[in-house]
Amino acid sequence: MNTPSLRLGALVLCLVATSFAQAAEPAATLVVDAAKPGPVIHKEIYGQFAEHLGHGIYEGIWVGPDSSIPNTKGYRNDVLAALKQLGVPQLRWPGGCFADEYHWKDGIGPRASRPSIFNSTWGGVVENNHFGTHEFLDLCEMLGIEPYVCLNVGSGTVQEAMEWVEYMTSPANSPMANMRRAHGREQPWKVPFLAIGNESWGCGGSMTSAFYADNYKRYNTFVKNYSDTRIQRIACGPSGDDYAWTETMMKNAGHNMNGLALHNYTLPSGSWKGSKGSATNFSEAEYFTTLRYTLSMEELITKHSAIMDKYDPEKKVGLVVDEWGIWTDVEPGTNPGFLYQQNSLRDAILAAINLHIFQAHADRVTMANIAQMVNVLQAMILTDKEKMLVTPTYHVFEMFKVHQGATSLPLVLTTPDYVVGQEKIPAVSASASRDTAGKIHVSLTNANPHDAITVTCTLEGVTAKTVSGRVLTAPAINSYNTFAAPHTVEPAKFDGATLAGGKLTIALPAKSVVVLTLE
């Protein structure tokens, strides 16, 4: 019997249900202010890292000119092509911990006569030194990459470091420059970035901050600017939240440096002890926790920057995050010392979140180097003999290269939370920039693996006529590319953004990274 009271009750229930559904539907708002441009996003934030570790160099980049794998002067053709497409701005070498055991004169001259060395740090393997100074700097020159060379402060000498800089960069008629010429390179290379040691608080010498600060100043005294390229000196900075190290370095040596290096890795387990967590076999709870840990990069940069501001209010010293990324357990059956791990959609989202954080601090963060470029940790590229694939993280870097050298645009983001159990993190992160051609690029992530989120974006100070974009997502948060299925996770055209009445509306898919171009 359909009485008026029952009909009214049904209507009320319907309205309540409708209101609940509308309230529960995830939504975010974004305001991008193009009228108040911020600092330029240093292209060097998108730097890479290549250490003599596992197959990062040998078999990854370098196979030698006599290899059956197609190569150009010993460099893998497939890797060269992938790196060129990536637009790598700068590359850090030879380490890492390896740098403080590396003696550069072992890696020059005819390859057949170079002495082999024992890599005690990574895997206990013997290396033939066929990839040395010339091979690294020639690679950078071929691809238009700025070299970032790390000196041996841990087991080396000031004289060794001074002579290496002369060998690489001096145009003079001098002993080291003439040695370079004798080995086939007439003109000096340009080396714009030089690290004075690596992790001197740990594998680079187990030094105190005061002892390292004195050593830094000593080494820095003998780093000469031999040509028209002024070398930027990067000092060893803190590990994670070691704010006392930053305080000591800025107080004692801040006026002598161009950059201070921060190292911070995301460990899915949150601990260096025991298992760090699998690269591909993880639950949603572990996925959530990993992203929560990676978001701590915001706090680290904010607090270290505040200390740097005390001694460097003009921000002349850059914060250089020259080791970052996710560090998981190695793939089963691989050498534990080679740090070979797979790379999933989770890692792509993690990379995008960190890049957004760096760009939000573009006034202080001037460089960064993800660890590492090929076959090691959160790699861009994986190889297996003649086979090669690019990872989900590679795709994020390729999509985000539109931000390199662009002017950051301030934004205000209001986002729903992504909740697991009793904990929550912001579901959406974003960044915006304007390139030199006037195009505006907006990048977004949605960490929520279940729900799409509607983002309503207001553009201030600019009128956009068209919007286009690409999206990176996959069937699952642990989807990844294999040599048998290398295209499981790759970008696709994105049609979920519309412009109407001066508003940009974005249907941001679950577990995704999106980059939009507005013209």
Side-chain angles (χ1 to χ4, degrees):
M1 181 171 156
N2 193 6
T3 65
S5 61
L6 287 176
R7 288 198 300 270
L8 178 61
L11 177 61
V12 169
L13 288 173
C14 181
L15 290 172
V16 169
T18 301
S19 299
F20 178 81
Q22 289 174 342
E25 183 178 318
T29 61
L30 179 67
V31 179
V32 177
D33 193 348
K36 299 175 182 177
V40 170
I41 297 168
H42 297 267
K43 68 180 186 297
E44 288 82 12
I45 285 174
Y46 288 84
Q48 300 289 327
F49 176 24
E51 184 171 6
H52 287 247
L53 199 174
H55 295 305
I57 300 289
Y58 299 103
E59 297 185 32
I61 299 170
W62 179 263
V63 291
D66 298 326
S67 173
S68 60
I69 296 173
N71 68 87
T72 299
K73 298 179 180 179
Y75 308 98
R76 293 182 66 123
N77 288 345
D78 50 6
V79 171
L80 288 177
L83 294 177
K84 186 174 182 178
Q85 175 65 23
L86 196 59
V88 178
Q90 55 91 2
L91 178 58
R92 180 172 180 248
W93 173 87
C97 294
F98 179 83
D100 282 289
E101 294 186 5
Y102 182 67
H103 300 283
W104 67 271
K105 289 183 180 178
D106 291 341
I108 59 174
R111 294 191 191 101
S113 61
R114 297 180 191 179
S116 294
I117 56 171
F118 180 69
N119 190 337
S120 62
T121 303
W122 301 118
V125 296
V126 175
E127 297 190 14
N128 59 20
N129 263 317
H130 284 191
F131 190 95
T133 300
H134 287 250
E135 288 75 22
F136 170 67
L137 294 175
D138 286 349
L139 170 67
C140 291
E141 197 168 67
M142 288 168 63
L143 296 176
I145 296 171
E146 296 174 318
Y148 178 18
V149 174
C150 188
L151 298 180
N152 181 348
V153 172
S155 68
T157 66
V158 170
Q159 180 178 350
E160 181 181 24
M162 180 178 67
E163 289 181 344
W164 197 11
V165 175
E166 179 186 346
Y167 183 92
M168 293 185 290
T169 66
S170 175
N173 181 17
S174 63
M176 292 300 105
N178 288 335
M179 182 186 293
R180 181 193 70 237
R181 294 184 181 100
H183 292 148
R185 174 75 184 196
E186 174 61 32
Q187 297 300 318
W189 292 280
K190 293 185 182 298
V191 180
F193 306 110
L194 201 71
I196 312 297
N198 165 78
E199 295 190 358
S200 299
W201 37 261
C203 64
S206 299
M207 305 177 193
T208 65
S209 55
F211 183 78
Y212 171 73
D214 288 340
N215 269 278
Y216 171 83
K217 289 186 287 186
R218 178 168 171 250
Y219 273 75
N220 184 57
T221 300
F222 296 96
V223 174
K224 310 296 184 181
N225 293 311
Y226 290 100
S227 62
D228 59 354
T229 299
R230 181 171 178 78
I231 297 174
Q232 295 191 44
R233 283 81 161 177
I234 314 300
C236 169
S239 170
D241 62 356
D242 188 353
Y243 302 113
W245 184 282
T246 297
E247 186 85 36
T248 300
M249 288 303 301
M250 291 303 298
K251 180 180 179 180
N252 295 354
H255 60 287
N256 296 119
M257 68 178 74
N258 301 105
L260 184 69
L262 166 67
H263 288 185
N264 185 66
Y265 288 95
T266 300
L267 310 178
S269 69
S271 174
W272 290 102
K273 297 180 180 179
S275 171
K276 300 177 187 67
S278 170
T280 57
N281 185 20
F282 52 85
S283 65
E284 182 181 350
E286 291 169 311
Y287 164 81
F288 174 90
T289 302
T290 301
L291 296 187
R292 182 166 58 82
Y293 286 145
T294 213
L295 283 164
S296 68
M297 183 67 81
E298 171 69 35
E299 178 181 347
L300 293 176
I301 290 176
T302 298
K303 290 185 175 181
H304 285 296
S305 294
I307 296 168
M308 296 174 76
D309 287 347
K310 286 170 47 180
Y311 301 95
D312 176 36
E314 297 180 353
K315 300 183 186 295
K316 293 181 179 179
V317 180
L319 184 59
V320 176
V321 191
D322 65 13
E323 288 192 30
W324 69 275
I326 187 170
W327 190 319
T328 72
D329 295 337
V330 301
E331 288 302 294
T334 65
N335 188 325
F338 284 8
L339 305 187
Y340 178 84
Q341 66 189 48
Q342 252 295 351
N343 191 300
S344 70
L345 179 64
R346 171 191 66 177
D347 307 329
I349 294 170
L350 179 149
I353 289 171
N354 279 274
L355 292 169
H356 284 165
I357 293 171
F358 299 155
Q359 293 182 177
H361 293 272
D363 60 335
R364 180 62 82 179
V365 179
T366 57
M367 289 173 59
N369 300 76
I370 191 168
Q372 292 186 13
M373 191 164 71
V374 185
N375 288 332
V376 177
L377 297 176
Q378 192 174 353
M380 306 292 111
I381 296 168
L382 301 178
T383 67
D384 180 16
K385 300 180 177 63
E386 76 287 350
K387 294 176 286 190
M388 186 210 79
L389 62 80
V390 297
T391 67
T393 299
Y394 173 98
H395 291 307
V396 167
F397 272 69
E398 190 276 326
M399 292 167 68
F400 275 42
K401 69 182 180 181
V402 294
H403 289 306
Q404 291 187 23
T407 300
S408 61
L409 299 178
L411 54 80
V412 177
L413 172 66
T414 303
T415 171
D417 292 322
Y418 167 38
V419 181
V420 173
Q422 300 300 310
E423 296 181 304
K424 61 184 180 181
I425 61 173
V428 178
S429 71
S431 187
S433 68
R434 176 187 284 153
D435 66 20
T436 54
K439 297 178 182 179
I440 291 177
H441 302 282
V442 180
S443 52
L444 307 105
T445 66
N446 180 2
N448 190 314
H450 306 295
D451 299 327
I453 295 175
T454 299
V455 182
T456 303
C457 179
T458 301
L459 303 172
E460 297 184 349
V462 66
T463 301
K465 296 180 179 179
T466 64
V467 59
S468 59
R470 291 195 293 164
V471 59
L472 184 72
T473 187
I477 52 178
N478 63 343
S479 295
Y480 60 96
N481 296 331
T482 68
F483 295 107
H487 304 294
T488 301
V489 188
E490 63 181 8
K493 182 180 178 182
F494 181 65
D495 295 320
T498 56
L499 277 167
K503 292 276 188 180
L504 172 65
T505 303
I506 308 154
L508 190 60
K511 59 182 184 316
S512 71
V513 179
V514 167
V515 177
L516 302 175
T517 298
L518 300 164
E519 299 183 67

